[in-house]
Amino acid sequence: MVSAADVTVDDFLGGRVRLIQPRKGYRAGIDPVLLQASVDARAGQRVLELGCGAGAAIVCLNARIPGLTLTGVEREPLYADLARRNCAALEVVEADLADLPLCIRQRQFDHVIANPPYWSRSASVPGQDSAKEAAFDERTPLRLWVEVAARRLAPKGLMHFIHRAERLPDLIRALPHDMGSIEVLPIAARTGRAPHRIILRARKSGRGDFRLHPALILHEGDSHTDGDRYTAPVRAALREGAALEF
């Protein structure tokens, strides 16, 4: 177990969530909070997060929508331990998503969420922090993340992924044939900027038309000199635990 000197306790959702995180290594930012804010779940439903880390996304989802049945899969022992400490209601299964144990493979979920690693180290230099590398380095192909998520969904269940905007084609190509009703929410830093993130939603056995939503703008103003004030919907999601319109 990591010592108290090696962690910090950080406020999320305006203090409704206090998350224990490593002082060094991967630390959750706004992406997992925006991911969970896009999930339209209701009490009694089952939620699985692949690669849950210390639990930022799924713990914030639990604070926003009480009464969910929560399961997280995390490969790194350090983060799995922190996730357990961060939420007593969260079942954390320490495993690689490429080799899930039977206790996960025998179950179906109403929602599967994921914030996969963003970078391939085939095109960059790895760092020295092994846990941080695991969070950023795409060792497991993105295609496999999508396929595993789809297999774990119950009929009509929803998948939500957040990723870099340039990986949207890869995400869509990886969707199995039984995933439909695809929706994409682009996320841009400011008005007029190209989106740098996207949230992808898809439904098991969905038959709805593809929908590309207007971009979610993070910051007010045209440039950094105007300050980094969040726009109203982003501020409500990050500070007040509000859902994102999706």
Side-chain angles (χ1 to χ4, degrees), residues 222-236:
D222 296 329
S223 68
H224 184 69
T225 57
D226 295 323
D228 282 326
R229 294 170 298 171
Y230 288 119
T231 58
V234 172
R235 185 167 58 251

Side-chain angles (χ1 to χ4, degrees), residues 14-166:
R16 291 171 58 187
V17 169
R18 306 204 73 207
L19 196 78
I20 307 170
Q21 300 193 89
R23 189 176 298 277
K24 297 180 179 179
Y26 172 74
R27 294 170 57 80
I30 69 171
D31 286 5
V33 185
L34 295 177
L35 172 65
Q36 66 80 29
S38 72
V39 178
D40 184 16
R42 61 180 184 271
Q45 289 189 321
R46 300 152 297 174
V47 181
L48 170 67
E49 182 175 9
L50 299 176
C52 68
I58 201 163
V59 175
C60 287
L61 181 62
N62 181 60
R64 184 168 67 84
I65 307 173
L68 298 171
T69 299
L70 307 171
T71 303
V73 172
E74 174 52 46
R75 179 175 61 187
E76 295 297 319
L78 166 65
Y79 289 98
D81 176 61
L82 291 177
R84 294 185 186 100
R85 294 168 62 185
N86 280 322
C87 183
L90 173 61
E91 173 196 10
V92 181
V93 177
E94 194 174 312
D96 192 312
L97 67 88
D99 186 25
L100 292 178
L102 196 60
C103 67
I104 297 294
R105 289 187 282 115
Q106 288 182 328
R107 292 152 65 184
Q108 292 184 314
F109 299 84
D110 302 293
H111 301 272
V112 178
I113 65 175
N115 179 15
Y118 286 165
W119 308 105
S120 171
R121 289 312 186 202
S122 62
S124 59
V125 179
Q128 297 181 348
D129 188 309
S130 60
K132 188 174 184 178
E133 276 300 301
F136 283 110
D137 180 8
E138 190 183 306
R139 301 175 189 174
T140 302
L142 185 58
R143 169 191 53 79
L144 186 57
W145 283 79
V146 176
E147 291 174 356
V148 170
R151 285 198 295 268
R152 299 279 55 82
L153 279 172
K156 301 299 181 181
L158 287 168
M159 168 197 303
H160 287 79
F161 272 63
I162 189 168
H163 215 293
R164 292 184 293 132
E166 54 264 43

Side-chain angles (χ1 to χ4, degrees), residues 145-212:
W145 283 79
V146 176
E147 291 174 356
V148 170
R151 285 198 295 268
R152 299 279 55 82
L153 279 172
K156 301 299 181 181
L158 287 168
M159 168 197 303
H160 287 79
F161 272 63
I162 189 168
H163 215 293
R164 292 184 293 132
E166 54 264 43
R167 299 304 301 275
L168 176 58
D170 299 322
L171 284 166
I172 292 178
R173 278 194 296 264
L175 288 169
H177 65 87
D178 60 347
M179 296 297 298
S181 302
I182 302 166
E183 300 181 58
V184 175
L185 177 66
I187 302 172
R190 298 181 189 276
T191 299
R193 301 281 186 88
H196 64 290
R197 296 280 188 271
I198 56 92
I199 297 176
L200 174 90
R201 170 190 286 167
R203 185 181 295 274
K204 188 75 165 275
S205 305
R207 289 183 167 82
D209 293 336
F210 175 83
R211 294 184 65 189
L212 178 62

